[in-house]
Amino acid sequence: MKTHLIRAAIFCFVVAFLTGCATVPETGRSQLRLVSPQQEMQLGLSSFEKMKQETPISKDPAANALVQKVGQRIAAVANLPGAQWEFVVFDSKEANAFALPGGKVGIYTGILPITKDEAGLATVIGHEVAHAALHHGAERMSEAMAMQLGGQLLGTTVSAYNPQWEQVATTLYGLGSTLGRSLPHSRFQESEADRIGLRYMARAGYNPESAIGFWERFSAHSAKGGSAPWFLRTHPVDSTRIEQIRQWIPEAMQEYRAQGGQVISDPSGARGSDIISRPE
């Protein structure tokens, strides 16, 4: 009986992987997606509504107007069919932003002094819109489901041969899957969103070179607090992130120029405050 259960579990595990493969827009890489687009979007919509009820929304007209302007401009160049784009400014000192499936993006007021200008804000929103357009939320849920199934399969297999080792095996599996898959994959997704976010801001007419200035300011802000070791982080360390962005800027600049964008030098020479000129 136990042998049959193990075989059935293995069969389900294989079927899940074979039927859950999808292709990521923009990059073309293979992606595990066990959640349907409809389910993904519904989860995003319900979570965002709950967020709006629980977290104060900013009443600053200037901040709201700027986020709406930049958000809608970037959403217009993103590839997410059926998206219900919504950009909300939450009143929080936290220097952060987030995206939920279906096109829901939240910006905390705490990050606005770091974005500094319109191009800096476009860097943040481009990154968050990329998360949504690349279906990173569905992928993370699918990965978690697959790892849970793998843990159950391991537990059943070990228990069939020696029940005393089941707890040890599942504990080691949980630790290994977190350090060996979950966290590295999260960092990979963040880097992927950085890269595609540069393309989005370029297509929307924002100079992608401005992203360097934002991330340098964000790194300086982050340095004020403590940080976990790199292998325990869900995001790449700032120095790695900035170096990767430098490498991706040339491809984003091609898209920027293709849109007719050009940089008009700021008279003050202040870095990151370039004036963007783009035909409307």
Side-chain angles (χ1 to χ4, degrees), residues 60 64 122 263:
D60 183 338
N64 280 284
V263 180

Side-chain angles (χ1 to χ4, degrees), residues 234-254:
T234 57
H235 292 58
V237 295
D238 293 334
S239 58
T240 298
R241 199 166 202 170
I242 292 172
E243 181 56 34
Q244 288 177 332
I245 288 172
R246 289 187 189 278
Q247 295 174 10
W248 295 327
I249 280 179
E251 68 178 20
M253 286 299 293
Q254 291 181 357

Side-chain angles (χ1 to χ4, degrees), residues 44-239:
L45 298 181
S46 60
S47 297
F48 201 63
E49 287 303 314
K50 183 178 180 182
M51 180 83 179
K52 289 191 293 184
Q53 294 173 7
E54 297 177 348
T55 307
I57 296 177
S58 173
K59 297 180 181 179
D60 183 338
N64 280 284
L66 182 60
V67 168
Q68 294 305 317
K69 176 184 177 182
V70 177
Q72 294 302 330
R73 194 163 170 170
I74 290 180
V77 300
N79 180 21
L80 184 59
Q84 298 180 26
W85 292 109
E86 185 177 2
F87 300 89
V88 175
V89 183
F90 290 100
D91 194 3
S92 170
K93 294 181 180 179
E94 185 179 355
N96 208 347
F98 66 92
L100 293 175
K104 304 302 182 181
V105 178
I107 306 293
Y108 292 136
T109 53
I111 203 170
L112 296 180
I114 305 173
T115 59
K116 186 179 178 181
D117 52 29
E118 194 170 326
L121 181 59
T123 303
V124 174
I125 293 182
H127 173 89
E128 299 304 338
V129 166
H131 273 311
L134 302 181
H135 300 281
H136 282 169
E139 185 177 20
R140 291 185 184 186
M141 286 186 283
S142 300
E143 291 262 337
M145 292 165 61
M147 284 189 287
Q148 182 180 21
L149 182 59
Q152 293 173 347
L153 173 59
L154 176 65
T156 301
T157 303
V158 173
S159 178
Y161 293 97
N162 191 336
Q164 295 181 348
W165 285 96
E166 180 180 358
Q167 184 62 45
V168 175
T170 53
T171 299
L172 292 176
Y173 174 83
L175 180 62
S177 60
T178 298
L179 295 178
R181 178 61 185 179
S182 295
L183 291 176
H185 188 67
S186 176
R187 293 191 291 269
F188 172 82
Q189 282 190 332
E190 294 300 327
S191 295
E192 188 173 55
D194 282 343
R195 186 173 189 174
I196 304 307
L198 287 175
R199 296 184 190 177
Y200 286 166
M201 68 181 293
R203 292 174 192 171
Y206 296 103
N207 182 6
E209 291 177 325
S210 302
I212 295 295
F214 165 75
W215 285 113
E216 288 178 342
R217 294 191 297 272
F218 188 82
S219 179
H221 173 82
S222 300
K224 298 176 184 178
S227 60
W230 69 268
F231 57 88
L232 294 178
R233 294 174 59 132
T234 57
H235 292 58
V237 295
D238 293 334
S239 58

